[in-house]
Amino acid sequence: MRRSLVAAALVLVACGPGPEAAGPGVDLTLVASAGLLDVISAFQVSLVANGSALDCVTVQKSCVKDQVDASRFVTVKDGSGKSGRAVVVPIALTAGTPNTQDASLRDVPPGKNFALVVEALSKDSPPRLSGSACNYVKEIVPGNNATVFSKIELLSPAAACDPRL
């Protein structure tokens, strides 16, 4: 009996924490202009600390990685559990007026004063910045947070920088 209890305890520990132990999440609705559909391969989503220090208008004209120190990028996870300073979201737009796509960040550390930056990666090799959106997020709390709507505007011509982090 004692061996069975020890074995069961080891199995439970190996499984890791349950879903309720995961950190806060941020759901996104990406809105893409029709001009982006033919030129982009994916969206890159990053969360930047001290977001109010960013001028979102300026950030959207060039790659965010070239505008802020790498230490300001918050490590986030995508819906499948892959983590990094940014997550890449494959295109899965729902056609309509406008074209939209849902995405999410998981295990985001709670805190205040963030900027959420969505960059459209071109189909070029290496990719260039084809469009961008920047949203200020006042606070991320444990549990559910408000959905962020990001309207990605086409840059014409695309910025010369490679946005990948």
Side-chain angles (χ1 to χ4, degrees):
M1 176 73 164
R2 185 173 175 172
R3 286 185 193 170
S4 297
L5 289 175
V6 171
L10 287 174
V11 168
L12 290 174
V13 169
C15 291
E20 66 280 352
V26 176
D27 292 324
L28 310 163
T29 296
L30 307 176
V31 180
S33 63
L36 282 170
L37 299 179
D38 295 331
V39 297
I40 61 173
S41 62
F43 299 106
Q44 175 176 268
V45 181
S46 58
L47 192 64
V48 180
N50 193 19
S52 62
L54 290 180
D55 176 356
C56 272
V57 173
T58 302
V59 166
Q60 294 178 95
K61 294 178 182 177
S62 185
C63 297
V64 69
K65 71 176 179 118
D66 298 334
Q67 298 180 54
V68 300
D69 187 81
S71 65
R72 289 182 56 197
F73 289 95
V74 176
T75 300
V76 294
K77 287 184 182 178
D78 65 12
S80 68
K82 184 177 179 184
S83 66
R85 294 183 300 155
V87 296
V88 175
V89 178
I91 295 176
L93 289 164
T94 301
T97 307
N99 298 303
T100 61
Q101 178 172 337
D102 292 331
S104 63
L105 299 178
R106 296 290 166 242
D107 293 340
V108 178
K112 295 184 179 193
N113 192 12
F114 297 103
L116 181 82
V117 180
V118 180
E119 296 174 303
L121 306 176
S122 74
K123 293 180 180 178
D124 300 321
S125 182
R128 296 186 307 152
L129 180 66
S130 291
S132 186
C134 178
N135 298 84
Y136 297 113
V137 179
K138 286 185 175 184
E139 184 175 20
I140 296 174
V141 299
N144 295 329
N145 288 278
T147 299
V148 176
F149 291 87
S150 288
K151 184 176 181 189
I152 299 99
E153 296 291 339
L154 174 67
L155 287 175
S156 186
C161 59
D162 179 349
R164 296 175 297 176
L165 287 171

